[in-house]
Amino acid sequence: MEPVRSSRNPRVAEAIKLRRARRRAETRRTLLEGPHLLEEAVAAEADLETVFVCVDDDTSMRLIAGVGIETIQVTAGVMGKVAGTQNPRGPVAIMVVPPDRPAIDGSVIFSYGVGDPGNAGT
C-alpha cells in the first residue's frame, strides 16, 4: 500500500480540520495522538474511525491489526500536518466522542496517571 504523501487527501484534510475545537464539537470527533493513547483506546474498545500511521510504525500496525479500524499510512510530512504536537511521533487516531452522561450528584473530574499535568487543562 502506497503511503499518503499529500495533506490534500480528503481523509487527511478532515483530520487536520479536527485540530480546531469548533470542528471537534460539530462532528463529535477528536484526535488521539501517540502510541500510549492509541493502546488505551484499543483496550477500552473506543469507537475509533481511522488511524494514521507513519510508514515505518510497525508497532502501531501490530496493535491495530485485526481490530477493524481504517488504517492510513502517511509520510512523516503528512503526519506533521495531522498531529497537533511540535515533534509528532504518531500514530494519530480519529475517535468518536461518546455521548455525554449526566454526572451523579454533580460534576466530577477524575484523572489517573496523568503523565503531563499540563494536559489536564486541555
Side-chain angles (χ1 to χ4, degrees), residues 10-60:
R11 302 295 291 156
V12 171
E14 183 57 34
I16 292 169
K17 289 178 187 176
L18 287 173
R19 291 179 56 189
R20 294 192 310 266
R22 176 178 285 175
R23 186 66 178 167
R24 291 191 303 269
E26 290 170 352
T27 62
R28 297 203 50 87
R29 308 279 186 280
T30 193
L31 297 174
L32 302 178
E33 183 179 344
H36 300 297
L37 281 179
L38 178 61
E39 183 176 6
E40 292 296 323
V42 169
E45 298 180 2
D47 189 1
L48 300 175
E49 290 185 335
T50 306
V51 178
F52 298 90
V53 296
C54 284
V55 177
D56 57 349
D57 189 354
D58 295 331
T59 304
S60 295

Side-chain angles (χ1 to χ4, degrees), residues 1 4 26 28 31 40 51 57 63 69 77 83 106 108 111 119-120:
M1 174 164 119
V4 173
E26 290 170 352
R28 297 203 50 87
L31 297 174
E40 292 296 323
V51 178
D57 189 354
L63 177 64
I69 302 168
V108 176
S111 297
N119 290 337

Side-chain angles (χ1 to χ4, degrees), residues 54-94:
C54 284
V55 177
D56 57 349
D57 189 354
D58 295 331
T59 304
S60 295
M61 292 298 287
R62 279 192 301 274
L63 177 64
I64 57 178
V67 179
I69 302 168
E70 177 187 25
T71 305
I72 300 175
Q73 289 187 330
V74 297
T75 62
V78 172
M79 182 63 73
K81 299 282 187 188
V82 173
T85 56
Q86 189 172 11
N87 298 309
R89 337 178 348 199
V92 175
I94 298 176

